[in-house]
Amino acid sequence: MSKFESLPGFRAFYPEDRARLGHILDVWRRACRRHGFREWEGPVLEPLELLTAKSGDEIVRQLFNFTDKGERAVALRPEMTPTLARLVAARANALPKPIRWFAIGECYRYEKQQKGRLRAFHQLNADLLGEAGPGADAEVIALCAECLLGFGLSRDSFALRLSDRTLWFRVLASLGVPDEAAPAVLGAVDKLGRSTDAELLAQVTSALSGASADPARVLAESRRLAAVRSFAELEAAAGADPAVAARLAEWRELLSLLAGLGVGDLVRVDLGIVRGLAYYTGFVFEAFDAEGEQRALAGGGRYDGLVERMGGPAMPAVGFGMGDVTVANLLESRGLMPSYAEGPDFFVAILGADARDAALRDVAALRSAGMRVEYNLRDGRFPKLMQAAESAGARFALVYGGEEVARGVAKVRELASRSEAEVPRVDLVPAMRAVLEEGFGAVQP
Ligand code: HAM
């Protein structure tokens, strides 16, 4: 055991682990490209202020922050949305709208390490800016679903829970909750299943200090709304308030667009989702695996005020983040994590010094032609080299002895079947390309 262990919640990836992570990142990237999203990246270290300004208490408590050698207050990014808003704000007028961007980066949160939660994780972000209508929400929610379907997950293995902070704000306003107090009340709603009644009432009371609304009534009505699990229940809960009823028209539009995009069956109405981050303003959603035991696979929603607060023009925005940790757990539990053969295409086995020059020239030629080639750095005997070829995970070996080189040939061996054939070295590159494309039959006599 090494005397230096990695920090809690930080992972190192051995090649086979990195291959599994790579699979997740590839599926995400392909789904985003299919939807016309373009990739961006931001800095890992940011000014502390950028991250504390708009995200809300929970994430601020989890920051990895410190003072750098230039006395700047800095923090590792816990999420990418504030960075995105700053980038867009800086070029808002020049960027063609709508902006469809995605990024994949490591994020850092000083959380208690537990199943599905680490202190460093990879996160996909996909965001659509510059469009205020439900068309943008639908596009982003559909992309979130496609990012999961791309793994081969069946449609019954996960669901997207859809909720609405606009509707929440309107219901709270109808109960006399002032706009400024609403985010703090939603902070309590976010903890409904996790805190005691007394704690919740204390939190709502403190959120409402100075306002005329009755905390006990606000809490009771919030519980009722948070329990809504279908659009019919939502219509019933909306009651007669015209502002709330008007919002239902946007719900109908969104649900119909989601059905049109082919993901309607994956979406469940769930007003219990309010999201922990303070900047959300409209529809919000989270993805969960169907067993519902895990932490969320993804979460997002509309955040219309953020670009403006970063110094840009008013710009509507909607997006989501998806982490690799819960996705990997789900894929493992469903047997959908591929086991990668990361071996080379060819293991070149060099039997003696008299063959080495010729063999290395062929290694270089095969590599220039794009093939993956490994070879023994020291001369060795045939059985040992075949063992080395197998443990490298190669499909084929190319055997170079002094006798073969003198005759101008190389011996090709398929490791699984142990079949062999000779190929003239002058034809090696096209012959090996044929072997990779068509199988060993391409060179068999
Ligand atoms: P979030 O809900 O905080 O949203 O995180 C999104 C996803 O990142 C989570 O559902 C989870 O998969 C993953 N995640 C978050 N924290 C951890 C952790 N400690 N360990 C492992 N995975 C984690 C946001 O970050 C928003 N900025 C998303 C967004 C983008 N909204 C609009 N655009």
Side-chain angles (χ1 to χ4, degrees):
M1 168 90 74
S2 157
K3 76 186 208 198
F4 298 111
E5 288 178 20
S6 59
L7 291 166
F10 282 76
R11 293 167 292 174
F13 295 84
Y14 285 91
E16 57 276 22
D17 305 324
R18 184 59 184 79
R20 285 189 274 267
L21 172 65
H23 171 65
I24 293 176
L25 309 189
D26 283 351
V27 168
W28 285 347
R29 195 168 269 122
R30 282 201 298 271
C32 291
R33 296 232 167 94
R34 282 200 302 276
H35 286 70
F37 282 61
R38 297 170 61 198
E39 189 161 3
W40 65 278
E41 172 61 296
V44 166
L45 199 63
E46 287 281 17
L48 180 63
E49 221 192 327
L50 173 83
L51 304 167
T52 52
K54 306 297 165 211
S55 301
D57 290 349
E58 181 165 314
I59 223 161
V60 169
R61 274 199 305 277
Q62 296 170 346
L63 282 176
F64 270 94
N65 60 303
F66 57 96
T67 307
D68 77 3
K69 290 176 180 167
E71 300 298 321
R72 281 174 286 262
V74 296
L76 290 170
R77 64 181 176 201
E79 56 159 337
M80 298 178 80
T81 311
T83 305
L84 170 72
R86 182 189 62 206
L87 259 65
V88 170
R91 297 210 183 151
N93 295 326
L95 293 167
K97 320 282 178 313
I99 298 162
R100 297 163 180 261
W101 282 4
F102 79 96
I104 297 174
E106 201 171 28
C107 297
Y108 309 87
R109 296 185 191 181
Y110 201 89
E111 290 204 51
K112 198 164 168 276
Q113 189 182 335
Q114 50 189 295
K115 193 167 163 59
R117 280 289 178 274
L118 296 174
R119 289 183 177 172
F121 56 96
H122 292 267
Q123 197 191 54
L124 163 69
N125 281 259
D127 294 86
L128 205 163
L129 300 97
E131 169 55 52
D137 301 74
E139 180 72 348
V140 161
I141 294 169
L143 175 55
C144 181
E146 295 295 339
C147 283
L148 292 168
L149 291 170
F151 292 106
L153 284 162
S154 62
R155 304 182 80 88
D156 58 4
S157 55
F158 68 93
L160 303 178
R161 300 189 191 160
L162 177 63
S163 180
D164 183 3
R165 282 178 55 124
T166 299
L167 193 119
W168 266 103
F169 291 142
R170 291 189 190 172
V171 168
L172 292 177
S174 75
L175 296 169
V177 176
D179 287 354
E180 327 71 82
V185 173
L186 288 189
V189 174
D190 194 33
K191 300 205 181 73
L192 274 181
R194 290 178 275 148
S195 299
T196 65
D197 289 358
E199 285 165 350
L200 291 168
L201 188 60
Q203 198 174 341
V204 174
T205 307
S206 118
L208 292 175
S209 67
S212 60
D214 167 15
R217 178 158 175 254
V218 169
L219 185 57
E221 290 298 318
S222 294
R223 277 188 204 285
R224 213 165 61 86
L225 187 57
V228 164
R229 292 291 179 276
S230 70
F231 188 63
E233 282 174 43
L234 183 57
E235 282 176 309
D241 189 290
V244 176
R247 180 65 175 165
L248 294 186
E250 278 157 291
W251 269 85
R252 279 189 204 94
E253 192 181 344
L254 176 60
L255 293 173
S256 129
L257 290 166
L258 289 169
L261 286 167
V263 297
D265 60 317
L266 300 170
V267 174
R268 315 263 179 281
V269 175
D270 183 343
L271 271 287
I273 302 287
V274 292
R275 305 281 296 138
L277 293 160
Y279 48 65
Y280 291 110
T281 54
F283 288 114
V284 286
F285 60 95
E286 287 183 358
F288 286 90
D289 83 88
E291 257 111 67
E293 289 160 18
Q294 278 213 60
R295 306 287 299 264
L297 300 162
R302 184 166 278 286
Y303 52 101
D304 282 347
L306 196 60
V307 173
E308 191 173 11
R309 277 187 264 140
M310 292 295 168
M315 165 124 37
V318 50
F320 71 88
M322 184 179 289
D324 71 305
V325 183
T326 41
V327 166
N329 290 344
L330 176 58
L331 297 182
E332 299 279 4
S333 77
R334 304 275 162 151
L336 285 170
M337 189 63 101
S339 58
Y340 274 83
E342 281 281 289
D345 299 318
F346 297 100
F347 187 95
V348 170
I350 306 170
L351 298 179
D354 47 352
R356 188 159 290 269
D357 274 359
L360 291 190
R361 250 175 278 136
D362 288 355
V363 165
L366 292 168
R367 284 176 172 169
S368 321
M371 292 175 235
R372 293 177 295 152
V373 185
E374 203 176 310
Y375 64 93
N376 53 308
L377 298 173
R378 285 167 185 256
D379 299 338
R381 289 173 174 285
F382 183 77
K384 263 231 141 102
L385 291 178
M386 289 309 104
Q387 260 174 28
E390 270 173 40
S391 51
R395 280 172 65 201
F396 303 100
L398 286 170
V399 184
Y400 286 76
E403 190 261 330
E404 282 90 0
V405 170
R407 287 196 292 119
V409 299
K411 205 193 292 167
V412 196
R413 181 182 170 99
E414 184 177 49
L415 288 162
S417 66
R418 303 190 170 191
S419 333
E420 288 187 349
E422 280 187 357
V423 177
R425 285 183 54 220
V426 288
D427 297 335
L428 192 67
V429 168
M432 292 310 102
R433 193 172 281 137
V435 162
L436 290 180
E437 280 165 13
E438 299 154 34
F440 195 66
V443 287
Q444 255 165 341

